[in-house]
């Protein structure tokens, strides 16, 4: 008897997917036989916006590309812009940038560990890891003034210094995370239930990882030793000599499944702590901005011409920005952004084929997808199919809130 | 273990294979680091669009590259400027060599051969360029929109700055709330 095939759409709004993306799966029983991934549900055209603004405005716009790793895009932006414009950041600023980028890696990795535990149904683990993550967010707030969207990078330096008084708090934080990471390793890597749920799930071979052009922890878990901090070092990473964390160095073999990726992320937290420690010890003295005057900086950009590629190893993988300056503009003429999830989502379709419906959340979550990194034009139409502009949309939202308030009897 | 080649060696191999098709080349040097300064190099070449596929094949012979990005620029003229960037010898400390190819593609013949047969992961990049700039990729199997909605009008490309751009679609997007209220006859 022929088996009936059913069509299971997951997303863009779905309890198993926290991001606006759609996985269309055709299933036979529990087994997925056909899969299609649709993206672009919230594309904001941010690159186009960037080409209409000056470079400093675009830098802070780039911070809004991603909501979690808000330093990754500005980092690639400043590296690329400095290469294109021929500006060199002062040594102290380079070290500060590295410290902030590594702090962000810690918080992003712990966040992912919580999310993946949640996808498996371990909600107590989610709350525990997220509680542990608070510490690093507090430190980021202390150093930059913000818990997210730090606005601390600048083309040719940073805007805030790390003062002597901050160092003790940073060292306390390092000690705290040394212990916390050990605890997390016990919980995640030694737990038989976690192991049973992740071993062999979402398994990516080395060859497939290469062909699908994946990057970041996903590639490293599959055994590829790729890491921008190692292959193309910049700032303080060039002094440190970072080595990519791969499972074969830890346990002897790389299987490229969800368990290996957990392992890679946990060891990377430790690596980040080492990097921060190194930077604190070796931090050079001096100024933190190459051109402190923004008007002078913009004037220099207007006079410059050049193109360059800026790369940064974000917690999720490589972030690549391509720039072209010129035409007497004070902003980029061309700006192209590649976020890590752009390539890593390629793994979903091959991995889901043949998997079970229950594996969808874990296959989706294991690459740490970030849709806001990818979707950078939202098109909204009314009942008659006409485009709705943002102002009308804003008015509609205000009207709806008023209506709701009236219905509920709540006064503004 | 793969042995990384220098920028000059890669350039030489490309010149041997492509000859006159390399219109210009440049090896850029960047010094990175504070206490242990090191220089790394990038190769930037300008090629003839006819030789594009051959250039990519040469790169695949040297090493399986990592595709950094594909992008394009429309300045409103008669051609699109395409930029392809590959990373060769990745996964080797200080070894990655980024090779960036640029060429002008005439607007009356916006066709390029696909590279998805060599690297399936390049599909996303090609689909994006196809919908944003209107470049047709010969041999690309999945031609559905990537970011744009499925009912996006034909012949409109968001990144184009000529008559194929989206100017007429978005001319009303910057109206103010006050203007709309006035249009509706509200106070």
């Amino acid at each position: 008897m022929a088996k009936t095939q059913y069509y299971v759409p997951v997303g863009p709004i779905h309890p198993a997917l926290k991001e606006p993306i759609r996985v269309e799966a055709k299933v036979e029983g529990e087994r997925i036989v056909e899969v299609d991934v649709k993206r672009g549900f919230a594309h904001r055209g941010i690159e186009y916006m960037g080409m209409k603004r000056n470079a400093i405005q675009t830098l802070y716009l780039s911070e809004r590309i991603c909501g979690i790793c808000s330093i990754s895009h500005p980092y690639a932006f400043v590296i690329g812009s400095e290469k294109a414009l021929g500006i060199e950041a002062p040594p102290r600023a380079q070290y500060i940038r590295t410290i902030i980028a590594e702090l962000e890696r810690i918080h992003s990795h712990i966040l992912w560990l919580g999310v993946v535990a949640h996808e498996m149904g371990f909600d107590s683990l989610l709350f525990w890891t997220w509680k542990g993550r608070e510490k690093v967010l507090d430190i980021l707030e202390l150093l930059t003034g913000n818990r997210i969207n730090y606005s601390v990078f600048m083309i040719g330096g940073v805007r805030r210094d790390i003062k002597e008084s901050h160092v003790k708090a940073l060292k306390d934080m390092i000690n705290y995370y040394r212990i916390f990471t050990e605890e997390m390793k016990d919980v995640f890597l030694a737990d038989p239930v976690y192991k049973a749920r992740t071993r062999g799930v979402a398994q990516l071979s080395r060859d497939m990882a290469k062909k699908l052009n994946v990057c970041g922890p996903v590639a490293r878990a599959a055994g590829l030793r790729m890491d921008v901090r190692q292959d193309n070092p910049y700032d303080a990473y060039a002094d440190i000599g970072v080595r990519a964390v791969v499972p074969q160095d830890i346990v002897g073999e790389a299987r490229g499944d969800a368990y290996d990726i957990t392992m890679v992320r946990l060891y990377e937290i430790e690596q980040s702590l080492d990097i921060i420690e190194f930077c604190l010890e070796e931090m050079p003295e001096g100024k933190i901005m190459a051109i402190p005057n923004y008007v002078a900086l913009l004037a220099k950009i207007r006079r410059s011409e050049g193109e360059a590629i800026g790369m940064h190893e974000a917690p999720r993988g490589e972030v690549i920005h391509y720039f072209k300056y010129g035409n007497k503009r004070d902003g980029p003429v061309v700006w192209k952004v590649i976020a890590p999830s752009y390539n890593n989502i390629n793994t979903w379709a091959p991995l889901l084929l043949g998997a079970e419906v229950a594996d969808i959340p874990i296959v989706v979550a294991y690459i740490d997808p970030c849709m806001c990194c990818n979707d950078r034009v939202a098109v909204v139409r009314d009942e008659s199919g006409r485009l709705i502009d943002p102002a009308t949309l804003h008015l509609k939202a205000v009207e709806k809130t008023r209506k709701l308030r009236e219905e509920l009897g709540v006064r503004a | 273990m793969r042995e990384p080649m220098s920028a000059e060696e890669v350039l030489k191999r490309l010149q041997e294979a492509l000859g006159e098709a390399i219109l210009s080349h440049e090896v850029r040097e960047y010094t990175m680091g504070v206490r242990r300064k090191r220089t790394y190099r990038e190769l930037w070449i300008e090629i003839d669009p006819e030789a594009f596929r051959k250039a990519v094949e040469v790169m695949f012979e040297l090493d399986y590259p990592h595709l950094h990005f594909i992008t394009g620029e429309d300045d409103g003229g008669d051609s699109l400027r395409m930029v392809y960037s590959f990373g060769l010898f990745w996964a080797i400390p200080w070894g990655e060599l980024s090779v960036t190819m640029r060429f002008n593609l005439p607007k009356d013949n916006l066709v390029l051969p696909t590279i998805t047969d060599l690297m399936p992961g390049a599909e996303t990049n090609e689909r994006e360029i196809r919908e944003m700039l209107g470049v047709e990729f010969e041999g690309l199997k999945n031609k559905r929109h990537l970011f744009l909605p499925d009912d996006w009008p034909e012949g409109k490309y968001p990144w184009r700055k000529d008559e194929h751009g989206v100017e007429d679609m978005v001319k009303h997007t910057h109206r103010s709330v006050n203007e709309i209220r006035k249009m509706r006859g509200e106070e």
Side-chain angles (χ1 to χ4, degrees):
Chain A
M1 198 179 84
K3 282 184 185 163
T4 318
Q5 292 187 337
Y6 291 95
Y7 167 75
V8 182
V10 182
I13 299 162
H14 190 275
L17 278 177
K18 308 296 172 294
E19 309 264 357
I21 191 163
R22 189 180 174 98
V23 177
E24 291 178 352
K26 206 177 253 177
V27 295
E28 252 177 33
E30 281 294 307
R31 197 111 350 239
I32 301 169
V33 292
E34 210 180 295
V35 63
D36 190 16
V37 181
K38 283 192 169 166
R39 11 181 160 182
F41 286 94
H43 197 283
R44 290 166 291 161
I46 219 162
E47 288 150 321
Y48 199 82
M49 294 200 286
M51 293 181 224
K52 304 228 174 228
R53 285 161 167 77
N54 75 37
I56 297 175
Q57 289 168 327
T58 313
L59 171 62
Y60 296 111
L61 185 68
S62 78
E63 203 161 283
R64 271 81 185 160
I65 291 176
C66 183
I68 306 289
C69 36
S70 52
I71 218 72
S72 308
H73 288 277
Y75 210 152
F77 193 103
V78 294
I79 294 284
S81 299
E82 284 167 9
K83 278 160 84 175
L85 303 166
I87 300 172
E88 197 186 340
R92 190 176 175 83
Q94 296 191 15
Y95 272 67
I96 294 172
R97 281 189 205 166
T98 305
I99 291 176
I100 291 168
E102 290 307 316
L103 285 171
E104 195 180 69
R105 190 179 319 275
I106 296 171
H107 104 70
S108 178
H109 279 354
I110 299 178
L111 178 134
W112 179 83
L113 288 162
V115 169
V116 91
H118 167 72
E119 296 293 358
M120 270 173 230
F122 279 127
D123 273 358
S124 50
L125 206 52
L126 163 78
F127 301 134
W128 178 68
T129 46
W130 282 38
K131 178 180 155 273
R133 178 177 160 254
E134 282 301 298
K135 188 100 177 162
V136 67
L137 288 176
D138 289 346
I139 291 287
L140 280 164
E141 192 177 347
L142 183 76
L143 296 182
T144 65
N146 297 312
R147 285 165 66 86
I148 204 83
N149 291 352
Y150 321 112
S151 305
V152 70
F153 281 26
M154 178 49 75
I155 299 169
V158 284
R159 298 180 347 139
R160 278 194 181 208
D161 202 354
I162 292 183
K163 297 195 181 76
E164 212 36 62
S165 54
H166 295 148
V167 175
K168 193 185 168 294
L170 269 161
K171 284 189 174 153
D172 284 349
M173 181 218 73
I174 293 171
N175 292 335
Y176 173 84
Y177 280 111
R178 291 249 183 247
I179 299 163
F180 189 67
T181 320
E182 284 305 319
E183 286 172 6
M184 280 197 296
K185 273 189 199 160
D186 279 348
V187 172
F188 281 95
L189 299 181
D191 182 63
V193 182
Y194 187 84
K195 207 169 183 171
R197 195 68 192 85
T198 51
R199 255 296 176 227
V201 177
Q203 204 163 359
L204 193 69
S205 71
R206 204 176 293 199
D207 189 48
M208 205 157 109
K210 221 188 304 183
K211 284 189 173 152
L212 291 173
N213 205 27
V214 299
C215 57
V218 182
R220 290 196 284 273
L224 301 178
R225 287 174 197 276
M226 61 190 317
D227 192 318
V228 182
R229 297 174 295 168
Q230 163 203 288
D231 304 346
N232 257 337
Y234 46 94
D235 286 1
Y237 297 120
D239 294 2
I240 299 162
V242 181
R243 286 285 177 274
V245 177
V246 280
Q248 58 261 46
D249 292 351
I250 306 165
V251 291
E253 60 163 347
R255 296 201 215 171
D257 53 13
Y259 184 80
D260 273 2
I261 214 164
T262 317
M263 191 154 69
V264 166
R265 287 202 157 99
L266 279 164
Y267 280 85
E268 276 186 9
I269 298 177
E270 282 191 336
Q271 191 188 31
S272 294
L273 294 171
D274 292 343
I275 295 175
I276 299 173
E277 236 168 14
F278 175 93
C279 290
L280 286 175
E281 274 165 25
E282 301 281 319
M283 185 120 81
E285 290 297 321
K287 56 179 191 170
I288 53 166
M289 202 96 99
I291 307 171
N293 186 326
Y294 293 173
V295 180
L297 178 64
L298 287 176
K300 181 178 168 56
I301 296 171
R302 207 173 286 129
R303 289 194 306 270
S304 307
E305 262 187 31
E307 52 187 326
I309 304 165
M311 285 197 255
H312 167 60
E313 183 72 25
R316 297 179 165 106
E318 61 185 23
V319 169
I320 303 175
H321 285 217
Y322 166 77
F323 292 94
K324 188 174 166 190
Y325 286 96
N327 291 6
K328 295 194 169 55
R329 277 207 62 223
D330 53 8
V333 183
V334 182
W335 179 36
K336 171 75 191 153
V337 178
I338 296 281
S341 301
Y342 187 89
N343 288 324
N344 284 347
I345 291 174
N346 291 344
T347 58
W348 288 0
L351 288 181
L352 283 172
L353 267 183
E356 291 184 9
V357 179
D359 286 336
I360 295 180
I362 181 113
V363 168
V364 165
Y366 99 110
I367 64 154
D368 200 0
C370 179
M371 277 315 107
C372 52
C373 274
N374 271 284
D375 290 355
R376 286 158 265 121
V377 161
V379 178
V380 187
R381 291 176 195 278
D382 63 8
E383 298 80 5
S384 56
R386 276 184 314 202
L387 275 174
I388 302 183
D389 53 70
T392 321
L393 206 61
H394 173 79
L395 271 182
K396 276 185 185 279
V398 172
E399 281 163 8
K400 184 173 168 271
T401 312
R402 283 195 190 135
K403 206 171 116 196
L404 197 73
R405 278 198 187 127
E406 275 169 23
E407 274 174 21
L408 295 172
V410 182
R411 292 179 63 190
Chain B
M1 178 86 185
R2 300 168 300 160
E3 275 299 314
M5 286 163 76
S6 71
E8 283 77 14
E9 284 168 336
V10 173
L11 178 65
K12 202 167 154 247
R13 289 286 288 274
L14 281 165
Q15 277 170 329
E16 278 166 9
L18 303 175
E20 297 283 297
I22 298 182
L23 304 174
S24 70
H25 59 82
E26 190 185 349
V27 178
R28 293 191 189 165
E29 280 190 358
Y30 297 103
T31 306
M32 291 286 171
V34 177
R35 297 190 195 277
R36 283 165 59 197
K37 282 196 188 296
R38 288 222 13 205
T39 307
Y40 80 81
R41 310 172 97 189
E42 287 177 1
L43 180 59
W44 292 70
I45 53 172
E46 183 94 35
I47 60 163
D48 191 287
E50 296 290 319
F52 160 72
R53 173 78 193 188
K54 180 79 189 157
V56 176
E57 279 167 8
V58 173
M59 261 185 263
F60 272 81
E61 278 164 26
L62 297 174
D63 182 35
Y64 196 95
H66 180 71
L67 176 65
H68 286 153
F69 61 83
I70 307 175
T71 187
E73 180 199 357
D74 180 16
D75 55 7
D78 298 332
S79 60
L80 292 182
R81 190 168 174 75
M82 301 295 299
V83 186
Y84 274 72
S85 178
F86 295 92
L88 293 170
F89 314 110
W90 45 272
I92 298 168
W94 286 95
E96 194 180 35
L97 173 73
S98 107
V99 181
T100 313
M101 282 195 292
R102 295 159 299 166
F103 51 91
N104 291 333
L105 199 61
K107 277 188 184 164
D108 49 17
N109 185 25
L110 285 177
V111 185
L112 272 179
T114 180
I115 59 165
T116 49
D117 52 333
L118 296 164
M119 183 191 270
E123 190 195 287
T124 345
N125 293 268
E126 291 190 354
R127 276 167 67 193
E128 189 185 5
I129 295 301
R130 190 177 171 271
E131 65 176 14
M132 295 293 182
L133 281 167
V135 177
E136 204 53 60
F137 288 92
E138 256 174 8
L140 177 65
K141 288 188 187 118
N142 188 351
K143 294 196 170 184
R144 245 200 27 241
H145 279 305
L146 182 72
F147 289 124
L148 299 178
D150 288 341
D151 58 349
W152 184 265
E154 291 254 327
K156 288 280 168 209
Y157 306 106
W159 290 0
R160 291 278 282 269
K161 288 176 184 159
D162 51 14
E163 70 277 13
H164 293 283
V166 286
E167 214 48 51
D168 55 333
M169 289 185 71
V170 290
K171 64 183 175 191
H172 299 301
T173 48
H174 297 291
R175 279 182 307 190
S176 68
V177 171
N178 287 339
E179 277 171 310
I180 296 168
R181 284 202 170 122
K182 217 178 255 174
M183 269 168 52
R184 285 194 195 166
E186 291 172 21
E187 273 309 304

